[in-house]
């Protein structure tokens, strides 16, 4: 679901979307911009079991994911289906973009044959990201998709574009198909999708929690709001971390971090 902490880097969601599923929020926003487009949604995690089926009807795949298992999964599915992959990724003050798996061009595995050891690359939550950066890289990805569809211009196939926002510099690296690449090298060793969480050495993501009614002794946000509106006397204790408390808090609440 959309969280307040997402808003500094995602213009597709707003404060009115907080609490909604990101899928629902994104669809509503896109149709609000242009009601004449068709938006198909898939309320499921992308996996080895469904990736080929989900990708099949589309001409171009955009990879904006934030974890290695899904990037390798997306790459291999695009290679198997022969679909170009407009790729983008961001970290802190830097971004990169390319077009993988296009006809005659390299794939993601040609650049990164193997994932880094688990824990070596911190997540965006741990390392942070400049809020404007996703917009810059996302627009580059969108530009590549339009060019692919129109058959115009020169795409980033065979090139990796590096963006350094802190120093406002763009660099470009040439990429070639790796003849030993297991995905699309001369041997074409990959004939099916694999368990990518196992391949990357990271635990699979848990299923999202299903909303449940308050247990005995608990109250929900509606009841809390009613207590505040009535002016009831009670202690509202916030056990989050100080930086979370500074981002957003309920007036009158007392902060004691859980670790304390």
């Amino acid at each position: 679901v959309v969280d307040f902490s997402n808003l500094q880097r995602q213009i597709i969601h707003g404060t009115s979307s907080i609490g909604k599923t990101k899928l629902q929020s994104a669809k509503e926003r896109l149709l609000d911009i242009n009601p004449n487009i068709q938006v198909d949604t898939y309320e499921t995690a992308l996996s080895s079991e469904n990736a080929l089926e989900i990708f099949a009807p589309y001409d171009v795949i955009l990879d904006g994911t934030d974890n290695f298992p899904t990037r390798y999964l997306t790459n291999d599915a695009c290679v198997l289906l022969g679909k170009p992959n407009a790729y983008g990724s961001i970290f802190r003050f830097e971004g990169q973009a390319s077009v993988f798996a296009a006809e005659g061009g390299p794939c993601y595995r040609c650049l990164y044959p193997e994932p880094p050891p688990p824990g070596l690359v911190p997540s965006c939550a741990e390392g942070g990201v400049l809020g404007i950066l996703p917009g810059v890289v996302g627009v580059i990805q969108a530009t590549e998709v339009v060019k692919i569809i129109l058959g115009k211009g020169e795409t980033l196939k065979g090139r990796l574009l590096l963006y350094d926002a802190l120093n406002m510099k763009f660099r470009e690296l040439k990429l070639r198909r790796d003849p030993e690449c297991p995905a699309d090298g001369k041997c074409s060793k990959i004939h099916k999708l694999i368990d990518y969480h196992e391949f990357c050495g990271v635990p699979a993501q848990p299923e999202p929690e299903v909303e449940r009614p308050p247990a005995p002794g608990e109250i929900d946000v509606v009841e809390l709001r009613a207590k505040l509106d009535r002016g009831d006397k009670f202690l509202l204790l916030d056990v989050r971390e100080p930086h979370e408390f500074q981002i957003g808090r309920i007036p009158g609440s007392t902060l004691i971090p859980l670790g304390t």
Side-chain angles (χ1 to χ4, degrees), residues 23 41-58 61 65 69-70 72-74 76-78 80-81 83 192-197 207:
L23 200 67
T41 58
Y42 301 85
E43 195 161 4
T44 183
L46 192 69
S47 69
S48 302
E49 287 73 34
N50 61 23
L52 296 176
E53 180 182 355
I54 289 175
F55 286 8
Y58 302 99
I61 306 300
T65 57
T70 315
Y72 282 99
L73 168 61
T74 300
D76 291 359
C78 286
L80 289 172
L81 294 171
K83 297 182 184 292
K192 64 178 183 177
L193 302 179
I194 59 174
D195 183 332
Y196 291 88
H197 286 92
E207 290 295 319

Side-chain angles (χ1 to χ4, degrees), residues 72-247:
Y72 282 99
L73 168 61
T74 300
N75 174 79
D76 291 359
C78 286
V79 169
L80 289 172
L81 294 171
K83 297 182 184 292
N85 169 14
Y87 160 84
S89 69
I90 56 173
F91 183 64
R92 291 180 176 165
F93 299 96
E94 299 176 350
Q96 53 183 237
S98 187
V99 173
F100 293 126
E103 185 177 357
C107 76
Y108 183 75
R109 283 180 181 259
C110 294
L111 178 62
Y112 301 114
E114 295 182 356
L120 182 66
V121 180
S123 67
C124 280
E126 295 166 334
V129 62
L130 179 65
I132 308 140
L133 190 60
V136 176
V137 176
V139 167
I140 292 172
Q141 288 179 267
T143 304
E144 293 303 288
V145 170
V146 171
K147 285 154 56 182
I148 292 169
I149 292 173
L150 296 178
K152 297 289 185 180
E154 184 179 352
T155 70
L156 285 172
K157 181 179 78 172
R159 297 182 290 152
L160 180 68
L161 185 67
L162 304 175
Y163 173 50
D164 179 352
L166 206 56
N167 296 299
M168 194 49 69
K169 289 183 179 180
F170 284 91
R171 291 192 300 140
E172 186 179 292
L173 303 178
K174 288 187 177 181
L175 294 178
R176 293 186 177 89
R177 290 183 68 168
D178 181 357
E180 302 301 323
C181 172
D184 69 344
K186 294 177 182 176
C187 298
S188 297
K189 297 175 184 175
I190 286 189
H191 301 290
K192 64 178 183 177
L193 302 179
I194 59 174
D195 183 332
Y196 291 88
H197 286 92
E198 182 178 319
F199 172 67
C200 294
V202 297
Q205 294 295 317
E207 290 295 319
E209 291 185 8
V210 178
E211 188 174 343
R212 59 172 178 79
E218 294 182 353
I219 65 171
D220 59 21
V221 292
V222 177
E223 189 175 347
L224 173 60
R225 177 74 210 195
K227 282 179 170 290
L228 292 169
D229 290 343
R230 290 196 303 265
D232 292 357
K233 291 184 178 182
F234 63 95
L235 174 65
L236 180 58
L237 185 63
D238 192 325
V239 297
R240 298 173 301 151
E241 295 304 311
H243 70 275
E244 297 174 300
F245 189 74
Q246 291 176 2
I247 292 172

